[in-house]
Amino acid sequence: MGKGEVARYVVDESKGRNIESYNYPGFTVKQLLELPRHLEAPELWDLVIKAQRFKKDVLKVWRSLFLSESSVAVFQDSFWWWFLQKFKPNQEDQDHLFDRIADNFVALFLLVPRDTKDAFFQIYPDCLSQVIYVAFCEAFPESIKYFDDEFKDGLVDLIFQWISGLKPKKCTWRKWNLSSFKTTMVNDANKDATANVQVSGSASSVAALENISYEDLLEDGKYMADGEMSEDSEHINDIPKESETVTESCYIGPGPECKRVLFRLGGQSPLVSYYLKMHEIANAASCSLTCRINRTEVYKLPPVAPTYQDVIKETRRLREEFQKDYTELQQKYEKGIEAIMKERKEIDQKFRRFVFTLL
């Protein structure tokens, strides 16, 4: 490579760090689009998997499923779909990407053993959202300002609705272990040597499931939903003590605004339904009679304001200040009274001496 080529490569590489100057490579039918800056999907998945603190006995199962060819394909195409949606709209390519996302998601759905589907797909949307977010931060480090709370909210809502058809709880991303992402990014100089992992198939995951109970898998799913750490976590030493944890508190004033939405019991994932429609496969679930119910959904959070916890802390601070001022004032008065009594005593002694001399 000549000097001119090296200089051009350096310029192109610097441009690639900014999302505004990045050019979308274009959709290809038979091949997945590579991630920007030569990022490897398995390495990003591995980074996110480690941040979840899964139990050791189920880590291999989840890892093999997350790193399967279908899961990696869903991740890469979802990354580019969201890239186009947010920064370089291209409806035709987005449609092509969505077709392939549906195909690969159904392949992943069939890959996961039946008795672990509920547990796996309870945590998959959140993990998929995380790995897409990490990919954007890694690919475009000079455009971090664009990947704000609104960006994360939109991404999480999209992925959850694609997979489950339901919006997640507001600000689900607040439970992400973002601190671990910042300290172990894939492009750092101290990159973990174990991050180079092979994309795996279904055989290893099925074999590993034979020695793992379904309850253990569900327990990890519950952790992902509730934000609780498992007790025998691989990174148990990193878990803060109870005294160091922060209890979530509500804003003072009106609470979040909710609305009633229609929900169909027995419905399918939108990606699965789209796959069936795209391939003209009879949808047995849509033909059968299913019960429709209403559910409550939070659609607007209250504006940012001091929380009840903030008010309690401020009240305690003011109380301590008032108590301190009162103590200082009381001591001042006591010293003043003591000085007056001393002065009075001295005057009384002088008066007695004066009377004694007159007599």
Side-chain angles (χ1 to χ4, degrees), residues 5 16 20 28 65 104 127 132 147 166 217 323 329:
E5 293 178 349
E20 294 177 327
T28 55
L65 294 173
N104 284 299
C127 291
I132 294 173
F147 313 141
L166 299 173
L217 301 178
Q323 184 66 37
L329 189 61

Side-chain angles (χ1 to χ4, degrees), residues 172-213:
T172 299
W173 50 267
R174 287 180 179 171
K175 295 179 181 178
W176 293 354
N177 191 10
L178 295 179
S179 58
S180 67
F181 297 154
K182 294 178 182 178
T183 56
T184 57
M185 283 301 192
V186 181
N187 283 328
D188 286 350
N190 298 325
K191 182 172 64 176
D192 189 350
T194 62
N196 292 321
V197 290
Q198 297 279 339
V199 175
S200 60
S202 60
S204 59
S205 61
V206 174
L209 282 169
E210 295 178 356
N211 298 321
I212 298 176
S213 66

Side-chain angles (χ1 to χ4, degrees), residues 231-243:
E231 295 180 359
D232 56 348
S233 167
E234 184 179 3
H235 306 283
I236 192 69
N237 293 329
D238 297 334
I239 301 176
K241 298 178 181 178
E242 184 177 356
S243 59

